Amino acid sequence: MVKVFAHGQLRLYLLALLEDGPRHGYELITALTDRFGGTYRPSAGTVYPRLARLEEEGLVERSDEGRKATYTLTAAGRAELDERRGELAHLEAEIAETVREHATQVRDDVRAAMRGLRADLASAAQRARDAAASQPGAPDRDRVASHGRRVEAEVMVRRFGDEVRADLRRADAAGGVDALTVETLRTVLDTALRTMRATLR
């Protein structure tokens, strides 16, 4: 992505991130990176000048702790954030769509890579079988296939996490995450974990 935020959007999103509590600049950079599923990471040269401007405008307060500076949302910053909830919801929707587009691209790339990996694994398994007599420690077919399935499963877990985070953050911007959502997610994940573990040996 060449340009992720339009004019003024990063400024607004930094205020939104500080609504949850004080953060260091590095924590804000990390939070932005997580929000985009790792597909975008703002530079310090992008984030810190905007934080300094927000401080000048009285929207955030900076406190120094040793070599680290902590930024806290002020009452004025919270008031501006409240006034711009509509813009924030729209921005969250744009970010969610961007993350989905990248997730789709990653999924397609992973599928293509998995096809190649399966072919490589099949070839490796054949070589392992051929060498089994002279090299007893060579990986067997089941172990090689198991490795491929584990990699595929981990990709699915990461994709699921990215999509859930995107949906939750978009809904949260409009105040749409309620207790039922959290309880449903907890129940589904607990059930999925128990069911998955029952298949492992």
Side-chain angles (χ1 to χ4, degrees):
M1 293 179 289
V2 176
K3 187 171 183 178
V4 174
F5 291 103
H7 179 70
Q9 287 185 329
L10 178 56
R11 176 181 184 277
L12 174 62
Y13 210 69
L14 287 171
L15 291 176
L17 290 174
L18 288 171
E19 186 176 25
D20 293 334
R23 299 197 191 199
H24 301 303
Y26 178 78
E27 291 174 325
L28 290 168
I29 291 173
T30 300
L32 280 164
T33 303
D34 291 344
R35 181 64 187 86
F36 281 90
T39 61
Y40 165 71
R41 182 178 179 83
S43 66
T46 298
V47 171
Y48 284 102
R50 282 169 175 78
L51 288 171
R53 182 65 182 274
L54 291 171
E55 183 183 5
E56 290 174 2
E57 295 174 2
L59 302 179
V60 304
E61 183 177 62
R62 170 178 168 165
S63 59
D64 294 322
E65 303 171 356
R67 298 179 62 183
K68 290 185 177 180
T70 299
Y71 298 88
T72 305
L73 194 66
T74 64
R78 194 173 300 277
E80 174 163 335
L81 193 57
D82 288 339
E83 290 174 3
R84 301 178 65 186
R85 291 291 177 187
E87 290 179 59
L88 182 60
H90 180 69
L91 176 56
E92 283 285 3
E94 288 183 351
I95 293 174
E97 182 58 29
T98 298
V99 171
R100 282 197 184 89
E101 290 174 359
H102 281 269
T104 298
Q105 182 61 53
V106 169
R107 182 171 62 247
D108 292 343
D109 291 345
V110 167
R111 284 175 176 169
M114 286 302 299
R115 285 194 292 271
L117 176 60
R118 289 190 182 104
D120 291 342
L121 290 175
S123 176
Q126 184 60 52
R127 290 195 302 272
R129 286 194 299 272
D130 294 341
S134 58
Q135 299 178 11
D140 59 28
R141 182 177 182 178
D142 289 343
R143 183 174 299 175
V144 173
S146 173
H147 176 75
R149 288 190 289 267
R150 177 189 53 89
V151 171
E152 186 175 10
E154 289 180 354
V155 169
M156 287 190 290
V157 169
R158 284 194 295 271
R159 186 177 71 237
F160 174 81
D162 290 342
E163 293 184 1
V164 168
R165 279 191 292 271
D167 288 343
L168 287 173
R169 286 169 176 164
R170 186 180 69 255
D172 181 43
V177 179
D178 56 26
L180 178 60
T181 299
V182 177
E183 188 57 36
T184 299
L185 183 60
R186 179 181 295 111
T187 301
V188 169
L189 290 178
D190 286 347
T191 301
L193 183 59
R194 288 196 302 272
T195 303
M196 184 276 298
R197 284 176 171 168
T199 69
L200 300 175
R201 62 178 187 273

